[in-house]
Amino acid sequence: MSVDSVRLARWCVEQLGSPPVGEIFRSGHLSAVIGLRLADGREVVVKVRPGSPRVAACVEVQRRMFQAGYPCPQPLTGAEPFGDDVATAEVYVPDGDALPSEDNASAEAFARLIKLAPRPFEVSTLDPPPSWAAWDHNEDGLWSRPEGSSVNLNEVDGPKWIDDAGRLARDRLRAGQSEAVIGHCDWLAGNLRWNGDALLVVHDWDSMTVDSEAVLVGFAAALYSSVDVDQLATVEETERFLDAYCHARGRKFTDDELQRAWAAGVWTRAYDAKHQHTVGQPIASLSESEARERLRRSGTA
């Protein structure tokens, strides 16, 4: 997504009271994420993306988490119009370590997030969830449509093992239910920065969604690698994450919750694998043997 610099400067004056005088960084795929230095000396991050009712709710969750003392960037605006899109601004939090030295630190940080997050009824809608977390979508076919894309994953054949993994995981998730909570569904190592073993900041608050605790933890446990920010969790890392999360929250998952956590991990990894196959990329998010082992732990294979 390209962002017009004149419009960006005007938005900063209107919403932040100061124009940008320098650009710190620019990144993003479905959205444009721009680090700016303002004339008044502040360093901020402006994020521009297509408008959606859920954006305002995500900002509200982030605001409440910051007020509760959770390490996230302080929001400086709500979801404000930016041409046909919407934009938000937050304080820029630089630096930090890519990974902590303590393997359990990420699971403990996720447990604290779930504990401090507002209840779903306290914020406006977080629907629809991001596509990789939308296992219970109401679209036709097995797979939900990726954001910002005309690609239909259901129109591409196979690989059969990916479709089977996604279907089995979805069926297992639908076979159980528990209280809905708010959590982060893109708990990748690259979205977290550390100061030693202390969490410095969590990014990507557009990835807030509502689901059962076991499902949200299952997503996180399947994604977060404690050894490499460019990799996804191994089966063994997922197991350790789930154990550490339960220890941090002070209660073990029931057998049903644990199986649904494993199934959630299969769903999100299979979704990404299906997308990679559909757009002609190497399948890197899941292997057939790993899918089989994760499904076994979910009680479906």
Side-chain angles (χ1 to χ4, degrees):
M1 173 184 285
S2 62
V3 173
D4 178 74
S5 297
V6 174
R7 173 172 282 169
L8 178 62
R10 185 167 61 246
W11 189 91
C12 288
V13 171
E14 292 172 352
Q15 301 298 330
L16 301 172
S18 183
V21 294
E23 189 169 300
I24 303 170
F25 69 87
R26 186 179 291 245
S27 64
H29 171 52
L30 298 175
S31 59
V33 184
I34 308 163
L36 297 170
R37 186 171 294 105
L38 302 183
D40 62 10
R42 288 179 294 168
E43 293 184 335
V44 304
V45 175
V46 176
K47 187 172 185 179
V48 183
R49 61 282 216 194
S52 168
R54 75 183 312 276
V55 175
C58 288
V59 175
E60 178 60 20
V61 173
Q62 182 180 351
R63 187 184 311 279
R64 290 185 180 220
M65 295 297 287
F66 177 81
Q67 292 171 345
Y70 196 79
C72 59
Q74 179 183 5
L76 298 173
T77 70
E80 304 297 338
F82 191 98
D84 294 333
D85 300 313
V86 297
T88 59
E90 63 187 33
V91 172
Y92 175 47
V93 182
D95 304 325
D97 303 319
L99 293 167
S101 59
E102 171 56 54
D103 285 350
N104 295 338
S106 174
E108 292 166 357
F110 196 79
R112 185 178 174 216
L113 185 152
I114 295 293
K115 180 180 180 180
L116 291 178
R119 300 302 93 185
F121 65 84
E122 295 178 334
V123 299
S124 57
T125 182
L126 284 164
D127 290 332
S131 56
W132 62 89
W135 60 269
D136 201 25
H137 65 87
N138 56 10
E139 302 171 26
D140 293 334
L142 173 62
W143 306 107
S144 57
R145 188 179 296 274
E147 290 86 354
S149 174
S150 60
V151 170
N152 187 337
L153 306 187
N154 299 294
E155 293 179 351
V156 176
D157 291 334
K160 183 177 182 300
W161 67 267
I162 294 180
D163 290 335
D164 287 346
R167 187 173 297 106
L168 287 167
R170 183 186 63 177
D171 290 347
R172 180 64 189 86
L173 290 168
R174 287 178 171 173
Q177 192 174 11
S178 56
E179 180 183 1
V181 298
I182 290 176
H184 197 299
C185 67
D186 201 23
W187 198 252
L188 291 163
N191 282 331
L192 284 68
R193 302 295 289 180
W194 302 85
N195 183 7
D197 287 332
L199 184 61
L200 175 67
V201 64
V202 174
H203 293 296
D204 190 18
W205 288 84
D206 279 5
S207 290
M208 302 309 291
T209 192
V210 174
D211 213 316
S212 70
E213 180 184 12
V215 170
L216 292 170
V217 178
F219 290 152
L223 295 176
Y224 188 87
S225 171
S226 60
V227 297
D228 190 336
V229 296
D230 295 321
Q231 299 294 324
L232 297 176
T234 63
V235 171
E236 292 73 22
E237 285 180 300
T238 296
E239 183 176 34
R240 289 197 298 270
F241 189 107
L242 292 171
D243 287 344
Y245 178 88
C246 289
H247 183 268
R249 75 197 284 263
R251 183 177 71 83
K252 290 185 177 181
F253 278 146
T254 65
D255 289 345
D256 177 70
E257 287 175 319
L258 188 59
Q259 289 181 351
R260 294 184 77 232
W262 280 101
V266 172
W267 167 266
T268 195
R269 297 274 291 264
Y271 182 90
D272 286 345
K274 178 69 176 187
H275 185 266
Q276 290 158 0
H277 170 73
T278 300
V279 300
Q281 297 175 352
I283 297 172
S285 293
L286 191 66
S287 69
E288 186 171 2
S289 60
E290 187 173 11
R292 191 179 306 115
E293 176 59 21
R294 290 178 178 274
L295 284 168
R296 185 187 69 80
R297 292 171 183 247
S298 74
T300 59

